Amino acid sequence: MDLEIIGIKNCSAVYMIKRFSLALILFTALLGAVASPQGGPALSIHFEYNPEEYADVRDLQKQLVKALKKSGAGELDEPELHADGNDGYFDIRGQDAEMLYRIVRSILKSSPLMKGAEVTKRTAAGKTKFMIR
C-alpha cells in the first residue's frame, strides 16, 4: 500500500507504523502461545456431580482459582457444568501441565467430588489420562 495515498509522506512515520505493526503481531502471537500452548487447556478434569452438590463445585472452583492465581502458573476457565447435573469439566490453561497438576493435586485429592474424576494432561509429548483416587 502506498502510504502517500492516505497522507503519510514522512519516512520516519512509515518506519514507526511498520515497527508498531510488527510488534503488535508478535505480541498477539506470544499472548496466544502463553494462554494455550497446545491450542487447548493443559489440564482437563472431567467429573460427575449431583445437582445438590452445585455449591460444593463452586467452592472447589474458588480453591482452584486461588491456588492458580497465587502460583501465577495458569488460570482456570469457567467450568462447564451440564444442566442435568451429572457431568462437569474444569479446564486449566498454562505452559506446564505437570506444574499445574502439582499446584492443584492436593486440592483435587481432598475433594470428595473428585473421587473417580478423569484428568487429562496435555504436554508436548502428547496426552496422558488418569483417574483421581
Side-chain angles (χ1 to χ4, degrees):
M1 173 194 224
D2 187 2
L3 294 176
E4 286 189 29
I5 294 172
I6 59 172
I8 299 176
K9 297 178 183 175
N10 186 337
C11 288
S12 63
V14 171
Y15 177 74
M16 292 302 290
I17 290 171
K18 287 180 180 179
R19 283 186 53 131
F20 177 76
S21 297
L22 178 60
L24 186 59
I25 290 168
L26 291 174
F27 177 74
T28 303
L30 178 63
L31 187 62
V34 169
S36 180
Q38 294 87 21
L43 277 182
S44 292
I45 301 116
H46 173 226
F47 58 96
E48 294 181 6
Y49 76 104
N50 295 316
E52 303 84 40
E53 298 172 312
Y54 183 78
D56 296 331
V57 172
R58 289 301 181 185
D59 287 342
L60 180 58
Q61 175 189 3
K62 289 176 189 174
Q63 291 176 46
L64 294 171
V65 166
K66 183 178 178 182
L68 290 165
K69 191 173 201 175
K70 181 179 177 184
S71 73
E75 61 183 34
L76 181 68
D77 287 350
E78 186 63 31
E80 180 182 328
L81 303 173
H82 292 184
D84 61 2
N86 66 357
D87 280 317
Y89 297 86
F90 286 130
D91 289 330
I92 302 173
R93 295 184 184 275
Q95 286 292 314
D96 185 342
E98 296 294 334
M99 181 190 312
L100 291 171
Y101 187 67
R102 283 193 301 271
I103 292 164
V104 300
R105 177 180 50 218
S106 64
I107 297 168
L108 297 174
K109 288 189 172 216
S110 69
S111 172
L113 285 171
M114 294 293 112
K115 301 299 182 227
E118 181 182 73
V119 176
T120 303
K121 285 188 207 175
R122 291 176 184 83
T123 64
K127 285 198 278 190
T128 306
K129 291 186 179 196
F130 58 93
M131 305 292 275
I132 297 176
R133 308 239 183 257

